Amino acid sequence: MKTFDAAIVGLGAAGCHAARALTALGLRAVALDAGPELAPSDLPERVPTTSLWRKVLSRRQPVQARSVSFHPALAHLYVDDRRNPYRTRGGSTFLWIRGRQVGGRLHTWARMALRLSDADFTRALRDGHGTPWPIRHADLAPYYDLVESLHGLSAARDGVPQVPDGHVTVERRLLEPALLFKQRVEARWPERRVIPARVLEQPRDPLPVPLRHALATGRLELLRNAAVARVLLDDGGSRAVGVEYVDATTGCTERVSVGLVVLCASTIETVRILWNSRHARHPHGLGNADDQLGRHVMDHGFVVAAGSTGPDYRALASGWSPRHANPLDLAADLDFYIPDFTASLDAPGFVRGFGVQGKLTPTQWGMALFGEMLPHRDNRVTLARRRDSFGIPIANVCVRRRANDLAMIRAQKHTLHELAACADLRIEMPLPAPLRALLWRAVGPEVGVLHLGLSIHETGGARMGDDPAHSVVDPHNRLWDVPNVLVTDGACFPSTGCQNPTLTIMAVTERACSLAVSAAPTRQTGTAVGRSH
Ligand SMILES: Cc1cc2nc3c(=O)[nH]c(=O)nc-3n(C[C@H](O)[C@H](O)[C@H](O)COP(=O)(O)OP(=O)(O)OC[C@H]3O[C@@H](n4cnc5c(N)ncnc54)[C@H](O)[C@@H]3O)c2cc1C
């Protein structure tokens, strides 16, 4: 069995940063990803226009095809739902959108990168829902800076407290149609700020930038097509000693021996691996001594609309050139952002808030409103009896919107109509009304509102905290029960804010890996890294 200082499980947004951080700090690491490494030809620049019918009729990907971003020409960047099943229970309609390849969903994401603020980290202290984060913006700021400068952040310095400014590498400004929108919205609601979208730069490359840095150290071994089934513990169950995986090309079960395990397989998958890592000392799953594992799973309340613009926008058409030419780059849909302003609403009827992001050209517009979902104890991921094609038990997702989430969605819809009316934007959904309502049933409970999962911002399930009785990992992202196992992907979020989560996932990962190495008394191959409790 091969031996390494550390194993990184999953090489998406979190895992690529874990690989970078650990190898930069001198560790010899192995990174295991369930999928293959892509070729440049897997990331085409141009494809034909999407046919709605081709999406709807996608037979091998009936879940993935329901994502608004799914394109038949990019179907290989989304999982084959038949080979990667999961189950929903308890009235849940959770559509789990995922990719299994080195780089994970970094090959499909829209790159909107917003920091969380101290108000987000501490909301539970004010409204009593869930638990506060055990860290604050000051703890993460150096790691946010590092991530933003490594990728490059295209943004402005807005000075908006709801979304602290990032480390800007490319100045971004609102284009003319968005400036007109800003004037109208801010004149009507002075507390609403329309700011340029904040976007991480990313070359179209099979190997994301942080992973390239890790490989350049010569200290990273990459195991492709390696689906991790479980974390292996020593006899006493107090220390991880390796991971077990299925080699997807041979079907054989293999093991590597390591001193540190960093779980970065994405929120639901990481929770699944923890459940499947049962041991005599952890009979109910790893990290589940206090019945916390898999609980408090969240997504965002997701409301969308699009349409055509009024005459003042169309007057800006001459000389107009769009920001991006590549229609596959979802960042092309990001012009502006309105941070959460709901604190100023009169009697909103819900707690927490939502933000608005959108695209505006002289002739067309589109907006997506992401609302913070509360961390409900019974919104839980567990394991089902059924197994996937690798013989690993599948995830059982029981997550649904509760009263506060539904009240916020009503407010999101109302706000969208208010914004459109004030800014002279016409809401025009494609297709005639009866057909539209029929087709929309595949993606949401009502026209304009999308099912859980489709915001693709799932978080929670192994939350961070100060108190082992109410959390799965400590403030350094170490499992309370087995501190040489880190959980650094979205599973560790105690609450989710209304900002897109990936920038925070990256920063949390950099911080946790850095602390794991600096907190280690000595670094020895195959020996636990991290303090014991
Ligand atoms: C179309 C789209 C648009 C998005 N836009 C944005 C946006 O603008 N802003 C934002 O913040 N977020 C956005 N997201 C969400 C963002 O992509 C995710 O939050 C982010 O990728 C999560 O990072 P992760 O590392 O946890 O998971 P992933 O990036 O999904 O990576 C998980 C990795 O683990 C691997 N893996 C899975 N299971 C196993 C296993 N058992 N063993 C080994 N490896 C495994 C997978 O192959 C994958 O490489 C978007 C997502 C999509 C799909």
Short mmCIF file of all heavy atoms in Angstrom, two decimals, residues 9-16 32-35 67 69-70 78 97-106 108-114 226-229 264-267 269 272-273 330 334 357 392 455-458 489-490 499-503 505, ligand 1:
data_model
loop_
_atom_site.label_atom_id
_atom_site.label_comp_id
_atom_site.label_asym_id
_atom_site.label_seq_id
_atom_site.Cartn_x
_atom_site.Cartn_y
_atom_site.Cartn_z
N VAL A 9 -9.67 14.09 -0.96
CA VAL A 9 -10.75 13.31 -1.58
C VAL A 9 -11.63 14.26 -2.39
O VAL A 9 -12.38 15.06 -1.83
CB VAL A 9 -11.57 12.58 -0.50
CG1 VAL A 9 -12.73 11.82 -1.16
CG2 VAL A 9 -10.68 11.64 0.29
N GLY A 10 -11.50 14.19 -3.72
CA GLY A 10 -12.29 15.07 -4.60
C GLY A 10 -11.47 16.28 -5.01
O GLY A 10 -10.83 16.93 -4.17
N LEU A 11 -11.47 16.57 -6.30
CA LEU A 11 -10.65 17.66 -6.82
C LEU A 11 -11.49 18.70 -7.54
O LEU A 11 -11.30 18.96 -8.72
CB LEU A 11 -9.58 17.10 -7.77
CG LEU A 11 -8.31 16.61 -7.09
CD1 LEU A 11 -7.41 15.91 -8.08
CD2 LEU A 11 -7.57 17.76 -6.42
N GLY A 12 -12.47 19.24 -6.83
CA GLY A 12 -13.24 20.36 -7.38
C GLY A 12 -12.74 21.65 -6.75
O GLY A 12 -11.53 21.81 -6.50
N ALA A 13 -13.67 22.57 -6.49
CA ALA A 13 -13.29 23.87 -5.94
C ALA A 13 -12.51 23.71 -4.64
O ALA A 13 -11.47 24.34 -4.43
CB ALA A 13 -14.55 24.70 -5.71
N ALA A 14 -12.99 22.86 -3.73
CA ALA A 14 -12.31 22.69 -2.45
C ALA A 14 -11.01 21.90 -2.64
O ALA A 14 -9.94 22.31 -2.18
CB ALA A 14 -13.24 21.97 -1.47
N GLY A 15 -11.10 20.76 -3.32
CA GLY A 15 -9.96 19.85 -3.40
C GLY A 15 -8.75 20.45 -4.12
O GLY A 15 -7.60 20.21 -3.72
N CYS A 16 -8.99 21.24 -5.16
CA CYS A 16 -7.85 21.86 -5.87
C CYS A 16 -7.11 22.80 -4.92
O CYS A 16 -5.87 22.89 -4.95
CB CYS A 16 -8.33 22.61 -7.11
SG CYS A 16 -8.86 21.51 -8.42
N LEU A 32 -7.39 12.04 -4.84
CA LEU A 32 -8.22 11.01 -5.51
C LEU A 32 -9.48 11.67 -6.04
O LEU A 32 -10.20 12.35 -5.30
CB LEU A 32 -8.61 9.91 -4.52
CG LEU A 32 -7.46 9.23 -3.78
CD1 LEU A 32 -7.29 9.85 -2.39
CD2 LEU A 32 -7.72 7.74 -3.64
N ASP A 33 -9.74 11.48 -7.31
CA ASP A 33 -11.00 11.99 -7.86
C ASP A 33 -11.75 10.86 -8.55
O ASP A 33 -11.16 10.04 -9.26
CB ASP A 33 -10.79 13.15 -8.83
CG ASP A 33 -12.10 13.91 -9.02
OD1 ASP A 33 -12.97 13.45 -9.80
OD2 ASP A 33 -12.28 14.95 -8.33
N ALA A 34 -13.06 10.85 -8.35
CA ALA A 34 -13.90 9.78 -8.89
C ALA A 34 -13.96 9.81 -10.42
O ALA A 34 -14.34 8.83 -11.05
CB ALA A 34 -15.30 9.89 -8.32
N GLY A 35 -13.60 10.95 -11.01
CA GLY A 35 -13.73 11.08 -12.46
C GLY A 35 -12.40 11.13 -13.17
O GLY A 35 -11.34 11.12 -12.56
N SER A 67 -30.97 21.37 -14.95
CA SER A 67 -30.26 22.58 -14.54
C SER A 67 -30.37 23.60 -15.66
O SER A 67 -30.20 23.26 -16.84
CB SER A 67 -28.79 22.24 -14.28
OG SER A 67 -28.02 23.43 -14.30
N SER A 69 -28.34 25.56 -16.60
CA SER A 69 -27.05 25.71 -17.28
C SER A 69 -26.70 24.51 -18.15
O SER A 69 -25.73 24.57 -18.91
CB SER A 69 -25.96 25.85 -16.22
OG SER A 69 -26.04 24.73 -15.35
N PHE A 70 -27.46 23.43 -18.07
CA PHE A 70 -27.10 22.20 -18.80
C PHE A 70 -27.19 22.44 -20.31
O PHE A 70 -28.12 23.06 -20.80
CB PHE A 70 -28.06 21.08 -18.41
CG PHE A 70 -27.77 19.77 -19.07
CD1 PHE A 70 -26.90 18.86 -18.48
CD2 PHE A 70 -28.37 19.42 -20.27
CE1 PHE A 70 -26.63 17.64 -19.08
CE2 PHE A 70 -28.10 18.22 -20.89
CZ PHE A 70 -27.25 17.32 -20.28
N TYR A 78 -21.43 16.73 -16.67
CA TYR A 78 -22.43 16.44 -15.65
C TYR A 78 -22.52 14.92 -15.52
O TYR A 78 -22.27 14.20 -16.48
CB TYR A 78 -23.81 17.00 -16.06
CG TYR A 78 -23.84 18.51 -16.13
CD1 TYR A 78 -23.34 19.19 -17.23
CD2 TYR A 78 -24.38 19.26 -15.09
CE1 TYR A 78 -23.37 20.59 -17.30
CE2 TYR A 78 -24.42 20.65 -15.15
CZ TYR A 78 -23.91 21.31 -16.25
OH TYR A 78 -23.94 22.68 -16.30
N ILE A 97 -27.29 18.37 -8.77
CA ILE A 97 -26.55 18.64 -10.01
C ILE A 97 -25.06 18.51 -9.72
O ILE A 97 -24.51 19.20 -8.86
CB ILE A 97 -26.86 20.07 -10.52
CG1 ILE A 97 -28.38 20.29 -10.63
CG2 ILE A 97 -26.17 20.33 -11.85
CD1 ILE A 97 -29.11 19.37 -11.58
N ARG A 98 -24.37 17.62 -10.43
CA ARG A 98 -22.95 17.37 -10.12
C ARG A 98 -22.14 17.02 -11.34
O ARG A 98 -22.68 16.65 -12.38
CB ARG A 98 -22.73 16.22 -9.14
CG ARG A 98 -23.96 15.57 -8.70
CD ARG A 98 -23.79 14.32 -7.94
NE ARG A 98 -24.94 13.51 -8.26
CZ ARG A 98 -25.02 12.23 -8.05
NH1 ARG A 98 -24.00 11.58 -7.52
NH2 ARG A 98 -26.11 11.58 -8.38
N GLY A 99 -20.82 17.12 -11.17
CA GLY A 99 -19.90 16.71 -12.22
C GLY A 99 -18.86 15.80 -11.60
O GLY A 99 -18.45 16.02 -10.46
N ARG A 100 -18.48 14.76 -12.31
CA ARG A 100 -17.43 13.86 -11.80
C ARG A 100 -16.27 13.89 -12.77
O ARG A 100 -16.22 13.12 -13.74
CB ARG A 100 -17.96 12.44 -11.64
CG ARG A 100 -18.68 12.23 -10.34
CD ARG A 100 -18.77 10.77 -9.96
NE ARG A 100 -19.05 10.66 -8.53
CZ ARG A 100 -19.01 9.55 -7.85
NH1 ARG A 100 -18.72 8.41 -8.44
NH2 ARG A 100 -19.26 9.54 -6.56
N GLN A 101 -15.35 14.81 -12.54
CA GLN A 101 -14.13 14.90 -13.33
C GLN A 101 -13.13 15.71 -12.52
O GLN A 101 -13.54 16.47 -11.63
CB GLN A 101 -14.37 15.59 -14.67
CG GLN A 101 -14.93 16.99 -14.60
CD GLN A 101 -16.43 17.08 -14.72
OE1 GLN A 101 -17.03 16.23 -15.36
NE2 GLN A 101 -17.06 18.07 -14.10
N VAL A 102 -11.86 15.54 -12.82
CA VAL A 102 -10.84 16.35 -12.15
C VAL A 102 -11.18 17.82 -12.43
O VAL A 102 -11.33 18.22 -13.59
CB VAL A 102 -9.43 15.98 -12.67
CG1 VAL A 102 -8.39 16.97 -12.14
CG2 VAL A 102 -9.09 14.55 -12.27
N GLY A 103 -11.32 18.61 -11.38
CA GLY A 103 -11.78 20.00 -11.53
C GLY A 103 -13.24 20.15 -11.10
O GLY A 103 -13.70 21.26 -10.87
N GLY A 104 -13.96 19.04 -11.00
CA GLY A 104 -15.35 19.07 -10.53
C GLY A 104 -16.20 20.09 -11.28
O GLY A 104 -16.13 20.23 -12.50
N ARG A 105 -16.98 20.85 -10.52
CA ARG A 105 -17.89 21.81 -11.13
C ARG A 105 -17.20 23.14 -11.45
O ARG A 105 -17.85 24.07 -11.90
CB ARG A 105 -19.10 22.01 -10.20
CG ARG A 105 -20.02 20.80 -10.21
CD ARG A 105 -21.16 20.92 -9.24
NE ARG A 105 -20.70 20.74 -7.87
CZ ARG A 105 -21.50 20.74 -6.81
NH1 ARG A 105 -22.79 20.91 -6.95
NH2 ARG A 105 -21.01 20.56 -5.59
N LEU A 106 -15.86 23.19 -11.24
CA LEU A 106 -15.14 24.38 -11.70
C LEU A 106 -15.18 24.48 -13.22
O LEU A 106 -14.89 25.52 -13.78
CB LEU A 106 -13.69 24.36 -11.22
CG LEU A 106 -13.46 24.60 -9.73
CD1 LEU A 106 -11.98 24.58 -9.40
CD2 LEU A 106 -14.07 25.94 -9.30
N THR A 108 -17.91 24.07 -14.90
CA THR A 108 -19.25 24.51 -15.33
C THR A 108 -19.74 25.75 -14.57
O THR A 108 -20.72 26.36 -14.98
CB THR A 108 -20.29 23.38 -15.10
OG1 THR A 108 -20.06 22.79 -13.82
CG2 THR A 108 -20.20 22.32 -16.17
N TRP A 109 -19.07 26.12 -13.49
CA TRP A 109 -19.63 27.18 -12.64
C TRP A 109 -19.57 28.55 -13.32
O TRP A 109 -18.83 28.74 -14.28
CB TRP A 109 -18.97 27.19 -11.26
CG TRP A 109 -17.61 27.82 -11.16
CD1 TRP A 109 -16.55 27.61 -11.98
CD2 TRP A 109 -17.17 28.73 -10.14
NE1 TRP A 109 -15.48 28.33 -11.54
CE2 TRP A 109 -15.82 29.03 -10.42
CE3 TRP A 109 -17.76 29.31 -9.03
CZ2 TRP A 109 -15.07 29.90 -9.62
CZ3 TRP A 109 -17.01 30.17 -8.25
CH2 TRP A 109 -15.69 30.46 -8.53
N ALA A 110 -20.35 29.48 -12.77
CA ALA A 110 -20.45 30.82 -13.37
C ALA A 110 -19.42 31.80 -12.80
O ALA A 110 -19.33 32.93 -13.27
CB ALA A 110 -21.86 31.37 -13.20
N ARG A 111 -18.72 31.41 -11.72
CA ARG A 111 -17.58 32.16 -11.18
C ARG A 111 -17.96 33.42 -10.41
O ARG A 111 -17.14 34.29 -10.21
CB ARG A 111 -16.55 32.48 -12.28
CG ARG A 111 -16.20 31.29 -13.16
CD ARG A 111 -14.88 31.46 -13.85
NE ARG A 111 -14.68 32.70 -14.52
CZ ARG A 111 -15.03 32.98 -15.77
NH1 ARG A 111 -15.64 32.04 -16.50
NH2 ARG A 111 -14.78 34.16 -16.30
N MET A 112 -19.23 33.55 -10.04
CA MET A 112 -19.63 34.67 -9.19
C MET A 112 -19.01 34.45 -7.81
O MET A 112 -19.21 33.38 -7.20
CB MET A 112 -21.15 34.72 -9.07
CG MET A 112 -21.66 35.88 -8.28
SD MET A 112 -21.49 37.41 -9.22
CE MET A 112 -22.69 38.43 -8.39
N ALA A 113 -18.23 35.42 -7.34
CA ALA A 113 -17.41 35.19 -6.14
C ALA A 113 -17.63 36.31 -5.12
O ALA A 113 -17.05 37.39 -5.24
CB ALA A 113 -15.94 35.12 -6.56
N LEU A 114 -18.47 36.02 -4.12
CA LEU A 114 -18.83 37.03 -3.11
C LEU A 114 -18.40 36.55 -1.73
O LEU A 114 -18.62 35.38 -1.38
CB LEU A 114 -20.35 37.22 -3.12
CG LEU A 114 -20.97 37.69 -4.44
CD1 LEU A 114 -22.49 37.50 -4.41
CD2 LEU A 114 -20.64 39.16 -4.68
N ALA A 226 -10.88 7.35 -9.26
CA ALA A 226 -10.76 6.69 -7.96
C ALA A 226 -11.91 7.17 -7.07
O ALA A 226 -11.85 8.27 -6.51
CB ALA A 226 -9.41 7.02 -7.32
N ALA A 227 -12.96 6.36 -6.96
CA ALA A 227 -14.14 6.74 -6.17
C ALA A 227 -13.94 6.31 -4.73
O ALA A 227 -13.96 5.10 -4.42
CB ALA A 227 -15.39 6.10 -6.75
N VAL A 228 -13.76 7.28 -3.85
CA VAL A 228 -13.50 6.96 -2.44
C VAL A 228 -14.79 6.46 -1.79
O VAL A 228 -15.85 7.09 -1.92
CB VAL A 228 -12.92 8.18 -1.70
CG1 VAL A 228 -12.87 7.94 -0.20
CG2 VAL A 228 -11.53 8.50 -2.25
N ALA A 229 -14.67 5.32 -1.10
CA ALA A 229 -15.84 4.73 -0.43
C ALA A 229 -15.85 5.10 1.03
O ALA A 229 -16.91 5.36 1.61
CB ALA A 229 -15.81 3.22 -0.59
N CYS A 264 -13.22 16.61 0.40
CA CYS A 264 -13.59 17.72 -0.50
C CYS A 264 -14.44 17.17 -1.66
O CYS A 264 -14.32 17.64 -2.79
CB CYS A 264 -12.34 18.35 -1.11
SG CYS A 264 -11.18 19.02 0.07
N ALA A 265 -15.26 16.18 -1.39
CA ALA A 265 -15.97 15.48 -2.47
C ALA A 265 -17.27 16.19 -2.86
O ALA A 265 -17.98 15.70 -3.72
CB ALA A 265 -16.24 14.04 -2.07
N SER A 266 -17.57 17.32 -2.24
CA SER A 266 -18.77 18.14 -2.37
C SER A 266 -19.76 17.76 -1.27
O SER A 266 -19.78 16.62 -0.80
CB SER A 266 -19.43 18.09 -3.76
OG SER A 266 -20.17 16.92 -3.93
N THR A 267 -20.59 18.73 -0.91
CA THR A 267 -21.42 18.64 0.30
C THR A 267 -22.07 17.27 0.53
O THR A 267 -21.82 16.62 1.55
CB THR A 267 -22.52 19.74 0.21
OG1 THR A 267 -21.87 21.01 0.26
CG2 THR A 267 -23.52 19.63 1.33
N GLU A 269 -21.79 14.39 -1.10
CA GLU A 269 -20.89 13.25 -1.25
C GLU A 269 -19.98 13.09 -0.03
O GLU A 269 -19.72 11.97 0.44
CB GLU A 269 -20.06 13.44 -2.53
CG GLU A 269 -19.23 12.26 -2.93
CD GLU A 269 -20.03 11.08 -3.49
OE1 GLU A 269 -21.20 11.26 -3.88
OE2 GLU A 269 -19.47 9.97 -3.53
N ARG A 272 -21.94 11.54 2.64
CA ARG A 272 -22.13 10.12 2.30
C ARG A 272 -20.88 9.30 2.71
O ARG A 272 -21.00 8.20 3.28
CB ARG A 272 -22.37 10.03 0.79
CG ARG A 272 -22.52 8.65 0.23
CD ARG A 272 -22.54 8.77 -1.29
NE ARG A 272 -22.70 7.49 -1.94
CZ ARG A 272 -22.27 7.23 -3.18
NH1 ARG A 272 -21.67 8.18 -3.88
NH2 ARG A 272 -22.44 6.05 -3.71
N ILE A 273 -19.71 9.83 2.44
CA ILE A 273 -18.47 9.11 2.79
C ILE A 273 -18.36 8.98 4.31
O ILE A 273 -17.97 7.92 4.83
CB ILE A 273 -17.24 9.83 2.18
CG1 ILE A 273 -17.27 9.70 0.65
CG2 ILE A 273 -15.94 9.28 2.74
CD1 ILE A 273 -16.25 10.58 -0.08
N LEU A 330 -20.65 31.03 -18.47
CA LEU A 330 -21.81 31.52 -17.73
C LEU A 330 -21.55 32.88 -17.08
O LEU A 330 -22.48 33.61 -16.75
CB LEU A 330 -22.22 30.52 -16.65
CG LEU A 330 -22.75 29.18 -17.13
CD1 LEU A 330 -23.17 28.34 -15.94
CD2 LEU A 330 -23.92 29.35 -18.08
N LEU A 334 -23.35 37.60 -16.05
CA LEU A 334 -23.20 38.33 -14.79
C LEU A 334 -22.80 39.78 -15.06
O LEU A 334 -21.67 40.06 -15.42
CB LEU A 334 -22.11 37.67 -13.93
CG LEU A 334 -22.41 36.23 -13.49
CD1 LEU A 334 -21.20 35.65 -12.78
CD2 LEU A 334 -23.61 36.22 -12.56
N GLN A 357 -28.83 38.83 -8.71
CA GLN A 357 -27.77 38.99 -9.70
C GLN A 357 -28.38 38.95 -11.09
O GLN A 357 -29.41 38.33 -11.31
CB GLN A 357 -26.65 37.96 -9.52
CG GLN A 357 -27.04 36.53 -9.65
CD GLN A 357 -25.90 35.62 -9.19
OE1 GLN A 357 -25.34 35.79 -8.12
NE2 GLN A 357 -25.55 34.65 -10.00
N ILE A 392 -21.08 1.24 -3.55
CA ILE A 392 -21.11 2.16 -2.40
C ILE A 392 -22.57 2.56 -2.15
O ILE A 392 -23.28 2.93 -3.10
CB ILE A 392 -20.25 3.42 -2.69
CG1 ILE A 392 -18.82 3.01 -3.10
CG2 ILE A 392 -20.22 4.34 -1.49
CD1 ILE A 392 -17.97 4.16 -3.64
N SER A 455 -30.21 25.61 -7.54
CA SER A 455 -29.31 26.76 -7.41
C SER A 455 -27.86 26.25 -7.39
O SER A 455 -26.92 27.02 -7.58
CB SER A 455 -29.63 27.60 -6.17
OG SER A 455 -29.08 27.02 -5.02
N ILE A 456 -27.70 24.96 -7.13
CA ILE A 456 -26.39 24.27 -7.12
C ILE A 456 -25.48 24.90 -6.07
O ILE A 456 -24.27 25.04 -6.26
CB ILE A 456 -25.73 24.20 -8.52
CG1 ILE A 456 -26.81 24.09 -9.61
CG2 ILE A 456 -24.75 23.04 -8.62
CD1 ILE A 456 -26.28 23.98 -11.03
N HIS A 457 -26.09 25.31 -4.96
CA HIS A 457 -25.35 25.92 -3.86
C HIS A 457 -25.57 25.11 -2.58
O HIS A 457 -25.75 25.68 -1.51
CB HIS A 457 -25.82 27.37 -3.66
CG HIS A 457 -25.43 28.29 -4.78
ND1 HIS A 457 -25.99 29.54 -4.96
CD2 HIS A 457 -24.51 28.15 -5.77
CE1 HIS A 457 -25.45 30.13 -6.02
NE2 HIS A 457 -24.55 29.29 -6.53
N GLU A 458 -25.59 23.79 -2.67
CA GLU A 458 -25.89 22.98 -1.49
C GLU A 458 -24.76 23.06 -0.47
O GLU A 458 -23.58 23.03 -0.84
CB GLU A 458 -26.20 21.52 -1.88
CG GLU A 458 -25.05 20.72 -2.42
CD GLU A 458 -24.75 20.96 -3.91
OE1 GLU A 458 -25.39 21.82 -4.53
OE2 GLU A 458 -23.84 20.28 -4.42
N ASP A 489 -15.35 21.28 2.37
CA ASP A 489 -16.25 21.73 1.30
C ASP A 489 -17.51 22.33 1.92
O ASP A 489 -17.56 22.58 3.13
CB ASP A 489 -16.55 20.59 0.31
CG ASP A 489 -17.15 19.37 0.99
OD1 ASP A 489 -17.77 19.53 2.06
OD2 ASP A 489 -16.99 18.26 0.44
N GLY A 490 -18.54 22.53 1.13
CA GLY A 490 -19.74 23.21 1.62
C GLY A 490 -20.41 22.49 2.78
O GLY A 490 -21.21 23.10 3.50
N GLN A 499 -25.09 34.68 -0.42
CA GLN A 499 -24.05 34.77 -1.44
C GLN A 499 -23.74 33.39 -2.01
O GLN A 499 -23.84 32.38 -1.31
CB GLN A 499 -22.76 35.34 -0.83
CG GLN A 499 -22.88 36.77 -0.33
CD GLN A 499 -23.32 36.84 1.13
OE1 GLN A 499 -24.15 36.07 1.58
NE2 GLN A 499 -22.76 37.78 1.86
N ASN A 500 -23.27 33.37 -3.25
CA ASN A 500 -22.83 32.12 -3.87
C ASN A 500 -21.68 31.57 -3.01
O ASN A 500 -20.81 32.33 -2.58
CB ASN A 500 -22.34 32.39 -5.29
CG ASN A 500 -23.25 33.35 -6.04
OD1 ASN A 500 -23.60 34.39 -5.52
ND2 ASN A 500 -23.62 33.02 -7.23
N PRO A 501 -21.64 30.26 -2.77
CA PRO A 501 -20.77 29.76 -1.68
C PRO A 501 -19.31 29.45 -2.04
O PRO A 501 -18.49 29.26 -1.15
CB PRO A 501 -21.46 28.44 -1.31
CG PRO A 501 -22.08 27.97 -2.60
CD PRO A 501 -22.51 29.23 -3.32
N THR A 502 -18.97 29.40 -3.33
CA THR A 502 -17.71 28.73 -3.69
C THR A 502 -16.47 29.49 -3.23
O THR A 502 -15.48 28.87 -2.80
CB THR A 502 -17.68 28.46 -5.21
OG1 THR A 502 -18.90 27.82 -5.55
CG2 THR A 502 -16.53 27.58 -5.60
N LEU A 503 -16.48 30.81 -3.31
CA LEU A 503 -15.31 31.56 -2.85
C LEU A 503 -15.04 31.23 -1.37
O LEU A 503 -13.88 31.05 -0.96
CB LEU A 503 -15.56 33.07 -3.03
CG LEU A 503 -14.43 33.97 -2.54
CD1 LEU A 503 -13.19 33.82 -3.42
CD2 LEU A 503 -14.88 35.43 -2.52
N ILE A 505 -15.93 28.46 0.19
CA ILE A 505 -15.44 27.06 0.25
C ILE A 505 -13.93 27.05 0.01
O ILE A 505 -13.16 26.38 0.72
CB ILE A 505 -16.17 26.19 -0.80
CG1 ILE A 505 -17.64 25.99 -0.43
CG2 ILE A 505 -15.46 24.85 -1.00
CD1 ILE A 505 -18.48 25.27 -1.47
C1 LIG B 1 -23.69 25.58 -13.72
C2 LIG B 1 -23.15 25.94 -12.38
C3 LIG B 1 -22.98 27.28 -12.05
C4 LIG B 1 -22.46 27.62 -10.80
N1 LIG B 1 -22.19 28.93 -10.54
C5 LIG B 1 -21.64 29.28 -9.38
C6 LIG B 1 -21.24 30.64 -9.13
O1 LIG B 1 -21.36 31.51 -9.99
N2 LIG B 1 -20.72 30.93 -7.92
C7 LIG B 1 -20.57 30.00 -6.94
O2 LIG B 1 -20.12 30.34 -5.85
N3 LIG B 1 -20.90 28.70 -7.16
C8 LIG B 1 -21.41 28.32 -8.35
N4 LIG B 1 -21.72 27.01 -8.60
C9 LIG B 1 -21.52 26.03 -7.52
C10 LIG B 1 -20.08 25.56 -7.46
O3 LIG B 1 -19.73 24.91 -8.63
C11 LIG B 1 -19.91 24.63 -6.26
O4 LIG B 1 -20.26 25.35 -5.08
C12 LIG B 1 -18.47 24.18 -6.08
O5 LIG B 1 -17.98 23.57 -7.22
C13 LIG B 1 -18.41 23.20 -4.92
O6 LIG B 1 -17.09 22.79 -4.77
P1 LIG B 1 -16.75 21.33 -4.24
O7 LIG B 1 -15.27 21.18 -4.29
O8 LIG B 1 -17.41 21.11 -2.93
O9 LIG B 1 -17.48 20.34 -5.24
P2 LIG B 1 -17.17 20.04 -6.77
O10 LIG B 1 -16.61 21.22 -7.46
O11 LIG B 1 -18.40 19.42 -7.31
O12 LIG B 1 -16.02 18.94 -6.71
C14 LIG B 1 -16.22 17.68 -6.11
C15 LIG B 1 -15.18 16.73 -6.70
O13 LIG B 1 -15.21 15.52 -5.96
C16 LIG B 1 -15.18 14.43 -6.85
N5 LIG B 1 -15.85 13.32 -6.15
C17 LIG B 1 -17.16 13.17 -5.91
N6 LIG B 1 -17.37 12.04 -5.23
C18 LIG B 1 -16.16 11.47 -5.02
C19 LIG B 1 -15.72 10.27 -4.38
N7 LIG B 1 -16.57 9.43 -3.77
N8 LIG B 1 -14.39 9.99 -4.40
C20 LIG B 1 -13.51 10.82 -5.01
N9 LIG B 1 -13.88 11.96 -5.63
C21 LIG B 1 -15.18 12.28 -5.62
C22 LIG B 1 -15.89 14.91 -8.11
O14 LIG B 1 -15.46 14.18 -9.24
C23 LIG B 1 -15.45 16.36 -8.17
O15 LIG B 1 -14.27 16.52 -8.90
C24 LIG B 1 -22.20 26.62 -9.84
C25 LIG B 1 -22.37 25.28 -10.17
C26 LIG B 1 -22.82 24.93 -11.44
C27 LIG B 1 -22.94 23.48 -11.82
#
